[in-house]
Amino acid sequence: MTANGWCQIFLFLALVLLVTKPMGIFITRVFNREKTFLDPVLGPIERLLYRVTGVDADHEMGWKEYAVSMLLFSLVSMIALYLMERLQGFLPFNPQKLGAVNPSALAFNTAASFTTNTNWQNYGGETRMSYFTQMAGLAYHNFMSAAVGIVLAIAFIRGVARRQVQTIGNFWVDLVRCNLWILLPMCIVGALVLVSQGVIQNLKPYDTVKLIEPMQVPKVGPDGKPVVDAQGKQVMDTVTTQTIAQGPVASQEIIKELGTNGGGFFNANSAHPFENPTPLSNLIELVAIFTIGGGLTYTLGRMTGSQRHGWAVWAAMATLFLVGVTVAYWAEARGNPLLAGTDQRATALQPGGNMEGKEVRFGIANTALWATVTTDASCGAINGWHDSFTPLGGMVPLVNIMLGEIMFGGVGAGMYGMLIFIVLAVFIAGLMVGRTPEYLGKKIEAYDVKMAMLFALIFPLLILGFTAISSVKTFGTSSILNSGPHGLSEIIYSFTSQAGNNGSAFAGLATNTTWYNTAGGITMLAGRFLMIIPTLAIAGNLAGKKYVPPSLGTFPVTTPLFTVLLIGVILIVGALTFFPAMSLGPILEHLLMLAGKSF
Amino acid sequence: MKKNLITSVLMTLATTILLGVIYPLVVTGLAQLLFHHKANGQLISKSGRVVGSRIIGQGFSGPDYFHSRPSAAGNGYDAANSAGSNLGPTNQKLIARVHQDVTTLRADNRKPVPIDLVTTSASGFDPHITPAAAEFQTSRIAKERGIGVDQLRALVAQHTEGRQFGFLGEPRVNVLELNLALDVQFQTKPSR
């Protein structure tokens, strides 16, 4: 670890702190339908959209209608994406003449993935998706799934803030305003800033360039296997050109981070120089991932009239973030003891450490930071391959997702996930002092805690259930790339990432199979929608309750003590659930690696 | 329910046009206007031919060129097929591959090999190597090209990019640009 590395990490956190308040105020104004400086431009577009789609902007919805509207919209837009993938051969903006996304299980998995804000990818973008599918299908869902997450968090906060009413807002109005006011303007500006750093934005066919030095590469037959001659020696081919994939990348890159989606335009995601060319583009993309999640903590404080509560939640998130990044940075900087004859020390001339699957311009600090941030939030974009991290370095992203991605979190999803933990924390505090727990003047009763526990139980059930099946059946184990405990980590990571709607992967696992496409698709849909319903149920139930003024026996949710209790609840729930599985995966691999064992 | 279903269909259509078509096309137009070179991938031409992109690495393995990092993209440096190796830290394939590369490289220079020179990058076409990896190779290239090591170090220094604004990211050497400059400045290769 170097002083410069830590400077970069703290600069990042300082920038997140800096954007929290302005972002939070702006989000509050947008959803309260107050005046903003963008109204003259966006007002007419908003009204036009309501007219075309038949939305009554003054209609207020109860939690059930809100949930049904959200589910219907997600279903319809998911089907639209599926059809677009299958029909892309007939659609415009396809200079590489890419055919339909096959097999249908892959198209289903991808449609489920992008609708649920997961962006798990069983394909490489540049070899499978036309520019049209990327823009109008995948990037479109980056906007929509992010907006759906944000409006659900807002609906929950309204549930806490409102008193004795049965409604929590209008889904369509929230959705439209979120896209027009919050996401779109930041994306237009952000995309152009990224282009200024070298992120590409064009619609031309792939370029073919003549190499300076011809390369000798293994010849590959039509079956995709290397060709060998009669003596069993590898036949080599001389390659004199390089084909460079192009596309409308910047417009997708920015919403991918801002909406914590994470689905790369290219297979290598934000490690690809065309997605993330410079350290500055890297920093902008990192801050974008936490911007809305951070802002929502301020919105929580503002809408519920307890700004200090918002900051107490922010502090819990930042603390857990710092713990994660410290472990990841430390583990990656220590390097891999099994690689003899290499120089892995940090010097003025190199960052050293474990450089397998990392880019030189980012080095160790920025890759460890990215891995932590992308899984603290439910982003899942990567700038280095998690599968090639050291065992403990790779455990950090895994644990982050298992804790529910509530450190700033997926846009919206992180906030409502955190609110569930808050409900559990005040419940536990209530048990300790023997009083009915309250949260910001609302009594937390049996119904609310049951719903919160439902939310907390669906998640491990999906992960551990599907991992168990995959690790004993050949259709699961045959996809493993790395043997030994690392193979189990690959499977656990896969289902954890999909249940948590993260989308990053231990990508050695070959998941473009019927089993993983189907099981993964189901996991993503369940991990999103089954968890949203109990969330909205709590929101609706809280909105109907009357306000109880705080008394001497009320556990305050604005103090450092609350922050500590909240962190404790998060860690205990996560650790109790997943520790046995972790000890068989990354922890075991770490011990074996130190003992010099390989697989 | 029925009304919300109809709204769902219409909302999907209307917002797809706005966010899925108009937005990326507007950004494309602005990007092409404001940052034409960068929006198109910073292609480099040499005597009228496009020979690469400044920020997409190429594979170099000849003794008289600076080598780039190992690649797992397609068959190697396939810029239409980005990928990493995804080999885990305890995988014998990784250990064997690194061991083989280390052995080859140490035939020219006995020092421990800078780690980036024997590990695959994340994209599969990392345009950079560390200054340490460039320094490691200077004695070989100087010998192959029949030039002084100090001359070569000066050229490497010219093509070394420091941290952005002095503190962001890591120092790095652009391999394609360095090798192009190498050919321009020290064209006379020893007869072979």
Side-chain angles (χ1 to χ4, degrees):
Chain A
M1 297 194 277
T2 64
N4 170 270
W6 280 110
C7 279
Q8 298 193 50
I9 290 167
F10 279 105
L11 171 75
F12 162 76
L13 189 61
L15 290 173
V16 172
L17 177 62
L18 212 64
V19 297
T20 295
K21 185 176 172 183
M23 198 64 226
I25 291 176
F26 187 70
I27 293 174
T28 311
R29 295 190 72 88
V30 169
F31 288 108
N32 283 348
R33 300 175 77 174
E34 294 167 32
K35 252 195 154 76
T36 73
F37 67 102
L38 293 167
D39 292 2
V41 188
L42 298 176
I45 305 177
E46 181 192 21
R47 287 189 292 276
L48 178 71
L49 275 175
Y50 294 156
R51 204 164 49 239
V52 174
T53 57
V55 169
D56 172 9
D58 295 321
H59 168 66
E60 281 274 324
M61 296 177 175
W63 79 265
K64 283 179 188 150
E65 190 186 356
Y66 204 96
V68 167
S69 307
M70 183 275 300
L71 288 171
L72 284 173
F73 175 69
S74 298
L75 179 69
V76 169
S77 58
M78 178 175 154
I79 293 171
L81 173 56
Y82 178 83
L83 293 176
M84 208 180 280
E85 289 178 61
R86 300 289 281 168
L87 299 173
Q88 69 176 7
F90 306 101
L91 294 167
F93 299 114
N94 186 6
Q96 295 310 117
K97 311 258 179 298
L98 295 166
V101 176
N102 273 325
S104 54
L106 173 63
F108 158 72
N109 183 283
T110 307
S113 169
F114 278 74
T115 309
T116 56
N117 196 256
T118 310
N119 293 24
W120 177 269
Q121 296 171 291
N122 283 341
Y123 62 89
E126 63 267 54
T127 50
R128 202 67 81 116
M129 299 293 172
S130 76
Y131 293 167
F132 188 80
T133 309
Q134 297 262 26
M135 294 191 299
L138 305 178
Y140 167 76
H141 274 276
N142 282 358
F143 277 97
M144 283 305 159
S145 63
V148 165
I150 295 169
V151 305
L152 289 168
I154 296 295
F156 196 118
I157 297 173
R158 285 193 189 122
V160 178
R162 289 184 177 179
R163 292 164 194 179
Q164 289 165 289
V165 289
Q166 299 304 320
T167 60
I168 52 173
N170 181 312
F171 173 73
W172 302 113
V173 173
D174 289 344
L175 186 76
V176 166
R177 290 185 68 84
C178 183
N179 275 302
L180 289 185
W181 266 263
I182 299 171
L183 299 176
L184 187 58
M186 282 201 284
C187 281
I188 294 175
V189 176
L192 291 173
V193 174
L194 288 181
V195 177
S196 81
Q197 288 299 302
V199 179
I200 58 169
Q201 180 73 25
N202 60 60
L203 296 166
K204 63 180 180 177
Y206 297 177
D207 281 303
T208 300
V209 306
K210 191 171 175 343
L211 290 175
I212 302 293
E213 186 191 48
M215 275 195 312
Q216 294 292 315
V217 299
K219 188 176 174 139
V220 177
D223 55 351
K225 295 217 172 74
V227 179
V228 288
D229 63 15
Q231 282 86 45
K233 260 193 78 183
Q234 172 70 55
V235 180
M236 299 302 271
D237 244 348
T238 304
V239 174
T240 56
T241 59
Q242 182 183 42
T243 301
I244 299 179
Q246 299 284 347
V249 177
S251 56
Q252 185 162 340
E253 187 69 21
I254 186 68
I255 185 62
K256 168 188 125 189
E257 321 297 1
L258 203 56
T260 64
N261 294 282
F265 191 95
F266 301 112
N267 186 46
N269 211 299
S270 297
H272 194 301
F274 280 171
E275 285 201 25
N276 192 1
T278 66
L280 180 61
S281 68
N282 193 63
L283 180 65
I284 294 168
E285 291 175 18
L286 278 170
V287 173
I289 296 173
F290 274 2
T291 295
I292 293 176
L296 280 171
T297 62
Y298 198 87
T299 305
L300 169 70
R302 205 171 167 86
M303 282 189 161
T304 58
S306 175
Q307 207 61 67
R308 286 178 57 205
H309 173 56
W311 286 116
V313 173
W314 194 96
M317 293 174 166
T319 308
L320 287 167
F321 155 75
L322 279 173
V323 172
V325 77
T326 305
V327 175
Y329 187 20
W330 168 79
E332 292 309 293
R334 281 207 341 164
N336 184 344
L338 301 179
L339 304 180
T342 59
D343 182 1
Q344 301 183 49
R345 290 167 309 147
T347 67
L349 298 183
Q350 68 163 16
N354 173 26
M355 282 300 285
E356 179 72 14
K358 293 189 180 64
E359 298 277 296
V360 167
R361 63 192 177 284
F362 306 134
I364 301 296
N366 275 305
T367 315
L369 172 63
W370 186 294
T372 309
V373 169
T374 197
T375 49
D376 276 348
S378 74
C379 183
I382 51 139
N383 76 350
W385 293 102
H386 297 175
D387 212 351
S388 297
F389 272 36
T390 58
L392 293 186
M395 191 169 85
V396 169
L398 185 53
V399 168
N400 281 341
I401 308 175
M402 285 174 170
L403 295 181
E405 300 159 314
I406 34 70
M407 291 77 118
F408 301 99
V411 289
M415 177 47 66
Y416 62 72
M418 192 54 140
L419 284 161
I420 297 283
F421 276 114
I422 293 172
V423 166
L424 292 177
V426 295
F427 171 67
I428 288 168
L431 286 184
M432 286 196 264
V433 294
R435 277 181 55 110
T436 309
E438 294 157 27
Y439 175 48
L440 296 170
K442 293 291 175 70
K443 277 197 160 43
I444 302 294
E445 289 160 310
Y447 179 82
D448 309 299
V449 176
K450 276 184 203 158
M451 287 296 153
M453 280 318 293
L454 198 56
F455 181 98
L457 287 175
I458 291 168
F459 187 58
L461 191 68
L462 287 168
I463 296 171
L464 298 175
F466 277 118
T467 300
I469 298 171
S470 303
S471 46
V472 293
K473 290 286 186 186
T474 30
F475 53 71
T477 53
S478 59
S479 291
I480 291 174
L481 173 73
N482 294 290
S483 11
H486 201 92
L488 179 65
S489 303
E490 286 183 341
I491 296 177
I492 299 176
Y493 199 105
S494 148
F495 286 106
T496 306
S497 173
Q498 295 184 85
N501 295 148
N502 184 276
S504 66
F506 269 25
L509 191 72
T511 41
N512 188 12
T513 63
T514 309
W515 163 249
Y516 281 105
N517 273 324
T518 313
I522 293 167
T523 305
M524 289 187 279
L525 290 170
R528 174 88 164 178
F529 297 112
L530 280 190
M531 291 168 77
I532 281 173
I533 293 166
T535 308
L536 280 176
I538 298 175
N541 193 42
L542 288 181
K545 291 186 186 187
K546 62 173 190 286
Y547 179 73
V548 188
S551 66
L552 265 179
T554 305
F555 180 70
V557 291
T558 53
T559 59
L561 179 66
F562 166 75
T563 301
V564 172
L565 181 75
L566 182 58
I567 293 173
V569 168
I570 293 165
L571 290 179
I572 290 165
V573 170
L576 286 181
T577 315
F578 295 110
F579 185 74
M582 301 302 278
S583 59
L584 291 175
I587 296 173
L588 181 61
E589 191 191 12
H590 172 72
L591 297 174
L592 291 172
M593 181 180 81
L594 291 186
K597 187 117 176 58
S598 60
F599 297 90
Chain B
M1 176 92 177
K2 193 175 155 217
K3 183 170 178 294
N4 279 322
L5 182 62
I6 296 168
T7 302
S8 297
V9 175
L10 294 172
M11 188 63 81
T12 302
L13 272 172
T15 49
T16 299
I17 293 168
L18 180 68
L19 301 169
V21 180
I22 297 177
Y23 156 71
L25 293 184
V26 166
V27 172
T28 307
L30 289 171
Q32 290 288 333
L33 205 67
L34 297 171
F35 309 103
H36 186 78
H37 181 59
K38 287 193 164 148
N40 290 303
Q42 306 181 51
L43 300 177
I44 307 175
S45 295
K46 187 181 154 191
S47 42
R49 291 200 66 153
V50 181
V51 293
S53 157
R54 199 181 80 81
I55 58 172
I56 299 288
Q58 292 182 10
F60 286 96
S61 54
D64 53 342
Y65 280 118
F66 282 92
H67 294 181
S68 30
R69 302 178 62 191
S71 163
N75 257 336
Y77 282 88
D78 181 348
N81 209 346
S82 59
S85 73
N86 280 314
L87 295 176
T90 56
N91 193 317
Q92 280 162 0
K93 280 189 203 134
L94 169 74
I95 297 162
R97 192 201 73 212
V98 170
H99 179 73
Q100 195 189 350
D101 288 354
V102 164
T103 311
T104 313
L105 285 162
R106 289 182 88 178
D108 298 316
N109 186 342
R110 300 289 307 153
K111 293 198 186 95
V113 183
I115 185 70
D116 61 302
L117 207 50
V118 288
T119 43
T120 59
S121 60
S123 60
F125 27 81
D126 192 340
H128 303 111
I129 52 177
T130 59
E135 170 60 29
F136 182 86
Q137 303 184 62
T138 45
S139 57
R140 180 193 73 227
I141 295 161
K143 201 171 110 206
E144 285 287 330
R145 298 222 172 204
I147 53 177
V149 171
D150 289 337
Q151 276 176 292
L152 196 57
R153 283 203 180 118
L155 188 73
V156 171
Q158 270 177 38
H159 287 87
T160 302
E161 226 177 308
R163 294 196 164 98
Q164 207 169 2
F165 314 116
F167 67 99
L168 277 186
E170 300 293 341
R172 55 208 183 274
V173 180
N174 188 309
V175 182
L176 178 59
E177 287 188 321
L178 177 60
N179 282 334
L180 281 169
L182 200 58
D183 275 351
V184 171
Q185 212 153 336
F186 305 110
Q187 218 155 26
T188 46
K189 297 179 192 178
S191 55
R192 66 183 171 93

